[in-house]
Amino acid sequence: VSLVSDTAPKKYKLSGVIPAQERFKPEETFNPTYELVYWKWALQVAEKWRQRLHLPINQEWHDAMYYLSDLPIKDDKYLFAESATESYTDPKLKTDHPSVLAALGVMPMTGQVNRRIMKNTFNWIWDHWDWKDTWGWDFPMTAMTATRLGMPEKAIDALLMPIKTNTYLVNGQNYQDQRLRLYLPGNGGLLTAMAMMVAGYDG
């Protein structure tokens, strides 16, 4: 996280990372939506831990959390990254993990996500994503986001989507392909999604 401007209002930018949607070069990418939420949550947790240890607030961490860039929006949907202005027009960006959904589905509530805009984002991804070019944890991630958006039917549909990488073998392992017959992120995602759907979640 780097300080872009130290004049009011301050602004911190998240850059130099490979987002979970591995379609972006780290040297060109900044402010990916999911990672902005992940960083703010992590900084909030770090600040709580310092308080529990009776340590003073780390002002640099606090400022980075407080002045972190807003989630990037275009046409009433969340961009996959602020630098990816072509998120909804470039076909190659409709592949791999639709991790923009994880900003709501996977992360605890941080106050950054607008549910209406995320619902617009979800609906577009549901209708237009290249689901055959995804991984096993994308389906439970989608289900978790649908759950938090109050769309239980879509959550079930995501878990039952008839895509090869959403296959579970008789031994319980999430199958991706002949090369990768065991994919634990899919198993962990399924268990997490089921727990959220049955037992609830924060907020």
Side-chain angles (χ1 to χ4, degrees):
V1 176
S2 58
L3 182 62
V4 178
S5 171
D6 59 3
T7 58
K10 287 183 179 180
K11 183 180 179 183
Y12 281 81
K13 178 172 74 172
L14 180 60
S15 59
V17 297
I18 299 175
Q21 184 184 0
E22 298 177 55
R23 291 293 181 263
F24 304 100
K25 297 178 180 177
E27 62 272 15
E28 300 173 359
T29 303
F30 60 90
N31 288 339
T33 294
Y34 170 42
E35 286 73 15
L36 281 171
V37 176
Y38 210 133
W39 269 78
K40 183 168 185 177
W41 171 79
L43 288 166
Q44 288 172 339
V45 170
E47 195 162 88
K48 286 178 184 175
W49 286 355
R50 289 185 67 85
Q51 290 170 357
R52 289 173 183 169
L53 292 168
H54 306 291
L55 296 172
I57 286 175
N58 182 309
Q59 195 61 47
E60 187 177 5
W61 295 0
H62 182 78
D63 285 354
M65 175 181 66
Y66 191 81
Y67 296 109
L68 197 60
S69 295
D70 293 333
L71 304 186
I73 298 168
K74 183 178 181 181
D75 297 331
D76 227 22
K77 296 185 289 293
Y78 286 115
L79 291 172
F80 309 155
E82 187 176 341
S83 51
T85 56
E86 70 286 10
S87 292
Y88 295 93
T89 56
D90 186 342
K92 75 173 181 292
L93 298 185
K94 298 187 295 183
T95 62
D96 199 62
H97 310 297
S99 59
V100 63
L101 299 180
L104 178 66
V106 172
M107 298 307 302
M109 307 306 290
T110 60
Q112 295 163 281
V113 177
N114 177 297
R115 289 175 182 272
R116 180 185 61 81
I117 295 173
M118 182 56 80
K119 192 167 188 178
N120 293 340
T121 306
F122 180 97
N123 287 334
W124 188 95
I125 287 174
W126 185 270
D127 291 336
H128 300 283
W129 205 258
D130 184 359
W131 291 103
K132 290 188 172 76
D133 193 351
T134 52
W135 294 79
W137 65 270
D138 298 326
F139 306 97
M141 174 185 65
T142 302
M144 287 187 273
T145 307
T147 299
R148 279 193 159 140
L149 288 172
M151 303 163 69
E153 296 86 0
K154 279 284 192 279
I156 294 293
D157 289 345
L159 293 180
L160 298 178
M161 201 177 289
I163 302 294
K164 182 175 72 171
T165 50
N166 197 33
T167 298
Y168 287 83
L169 303 177
V170 292
N171 64 6
Q173 297 298 348
N174 180 208
Y175 176 92
Q176 302 302 284
D177 53 32
Q178 190 62 34
R179 173 189 62 89
L180 186 56
R181 300 176 60 84
L182 182 156
Y183 187 64
L184 294 179
N187 291 88
L190 176 61
L191 293 171
T192 305
M194 293 300 295
M196 180 183 287
M197 293 163 70
V198 174
Y201 50 92
D202 65 295

